[in-house]
């Protein structure tokens, strides 16, 4: 069985602070895919990043960075110099490989991030 | 262009009504998905279509009836819904292939009275 845990239910920061959103996953598969999505109040899930289990390189995209560590089954997301527009619910998700070529995402419960001006 | 469109944005219906939700993508994706999301919860998969054929039905009640008229369109027909079916309904699409990213539409907020 697969599981994704986002232990932080809500985080509140002041603009320009750095913030890290934690994601811990469980899977017995050796090949799998990890995702982060952002859901602003408008409702749409916006894709942020995809990582496969063989690629442990950390990634930086502007103010966003991701730290993937297989040894601790974690895929954490850091926003540097947060802005009010970063306020949203952030979901971490896991998809197994193999079987059908499309499939079910296992989502974490989400972390509500509020950035105050 | 990673755009999935959904109509309507909001829908209010009575328990005896019949309505439909529509989803469209023009990215050439061959897999399309319906998700249901309750407030403060993650999305839950309902249906998956691959090459216009229903591939996954996550034990969804028959009052929800999906339809994929062509590779770009996905409908969700609603009939005799219950108030607990009120939720955000999200459509997504992806390429075929292992681990392909699912791209989501803005959703339809449904209220069943």
């Amino acid at each position: 069985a697969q599981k994704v845990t986002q232990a932080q239910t809500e985080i509140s920061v002041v603009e320009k602070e750095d913030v890290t959103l934690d994601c811990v996953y469980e899977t017995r598969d050796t090949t799998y895919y990890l995702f982060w999505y952002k859901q602003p109040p408008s409702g749409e899930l916006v894709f942020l990043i995809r990582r496969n289990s063989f690629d442990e390189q950390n990634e930086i995209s502007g103010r966003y960075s991701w730290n993937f560590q297989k040894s601790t089954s974690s895929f954490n997301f850091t926003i540097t110099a947060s802005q009010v527009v970063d306020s949203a619910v952030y979901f971490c998700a896991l998809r197994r490989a193999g079987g059908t070529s499309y499939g079910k995402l296992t989502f974490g419960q989400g972390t509500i991030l509020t950035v105050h001006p | 262009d990673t755009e999935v469109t959904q109509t309507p944005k909001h829908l209010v219906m009575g328990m005896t009504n019949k309505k439909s939700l529509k989803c469209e993508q023009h990215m050439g994706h061959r897999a399309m998905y319906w998700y249901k999301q309750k407030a403060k919860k993650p999305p839950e998969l309902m249906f998956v279509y691959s090459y216009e054929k229903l591939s996954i039905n996550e034990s969804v009640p028959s009052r929800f009836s999906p339809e994929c008229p062509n590779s770009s369109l996905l409908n969700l027909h609603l009939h005799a819904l219950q108030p607990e079916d009120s939720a955000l309904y999200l459509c997504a699409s992806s390429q075929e292939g292992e681990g392909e990213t699912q791209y989501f539409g803005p959703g339809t907020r449904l209220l069943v009275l």
Side-chain angles (χ1 to χ4, degrees):
Chain A
Q2 301 187 108
K3 186 178 179 182
V4 176
T5 300
Q6 295 179 252
Q8 304 149 309
T9 306
E10 293 192 49
I11 300 176
S12 183
V13 299
V14 177
E15 220 172 8
K16 298 185 183 176
E17 283 186 35
D18 299 346
V19 57
T20 296
L21 282 62
D22 297 334
C23 173
V24 174
Y25 61 91
E26 296 175 29
T27 180
R28 293 184 180 176
D29 297 336
T30 54
T31 304
Y32 50 88
Y33 299 84
L34 294 163
F35 301 83
W36 275 96
Y37 285 90
K38 172 183 179 181
Q39 188 173 38
S42 59
E44 179 177 357
L45 262 77
V46 178
F47 164 69
L48 296 177
I49 190 171
R50 179 185 75 173
R51 260 291 172 267
N52 74 50
S53 52
F54 294 113
D55 182 2
E56 287 195 71
Q57 273 195 328
N58 291 329
E59 180 153 338
I60 297 175
S61 176
R63 297 184 296 107
Y64 295 171
S65 61
W66 290 269
N67 182 358
F68 176 28
Q69 293 197 339
K70 273 179 92 166
S71 60
T72 56
S73 297
S74 65
F75 186 40
N76 296 337
F77 173 31
T78 297
I79 302 174
T80 303
S82 59
Q83 299 176 2
V84 172
V85 293
D86 296 327
S87 297
V89 183
Y90 290 85
F91 290 100
C92 180
L94 169 69
R95 226 219 79 175
R96 67 185 316 179
T100 55
S101 59
Y102 43 79
K104 189 174 178 177
L105 289 171
T106 299
F107 284 93
Q109 289 299 304
T111 296
I112 302 170
L113 173 65
T114 303
V115 181
H116 299 281
Chain B
D1 183 13
T2 55
E3 186 178 69
V4 177
T5 58
Q6 291 186 242
T7 55
K9 288 187 177 179
H10 301 274
L11 180 61
V12 179
M13 61 186 290
M15 290 189 284
T16 57
N17 291 157
K18 287 186 181 181
K19 296 285 184 184
S20 297
L21 309 185
K22 297 187 184 303
C23 173
E24 189 167 6
Q25 57 89 13
H26 293 289
M27 296 179 279
H29 291 171
R30 302 314 299 264
M32 296 187 76
Y33 311 74
W34 279 116
Y35 285 84
K36 174 183 178 180
Q37 186 179 22
K38 301 284 278 186
K40 298 187 183 295
K41 296 291 186 183
E44 297 175 3
L45 183 66
M46 300 174 71
F47 304 103
V48 181
Y49 272 82
S50 176
Y51 289 92
E52 300 155 49
K53 288 186 170 30
L54 183 64
S55 300
I56 296 177
N57 177 341
E58 291 282 297
S59 303
V60 179
S62 60
R63 57 186 183 268
F64 295 91
S65 175
E67 179 197 19
C68 191
N70 60 55
S71 59
S72 301
L73 291 173
L74 185 66
N75 297 322
L76 186 63
H77 302 298
L78 314 173
H79 174 54
L81 294 193
Q82 303 297 309
E84 59 264 29
D85 296 321
S86 298
L88 178 67
Y89 288 84
L90 293 160
C91 174
S93 70
S94 74
Q95 296 282 12
E96 281 290 286
E98 195 171 273
E100 288 294 335
T101 299
Q102 294 179 27
Y103 294 93
F104 287 80
T108 294
R109 292 191 186 274
L110 174 66
L111 177 62
V112 182
L113 300 176

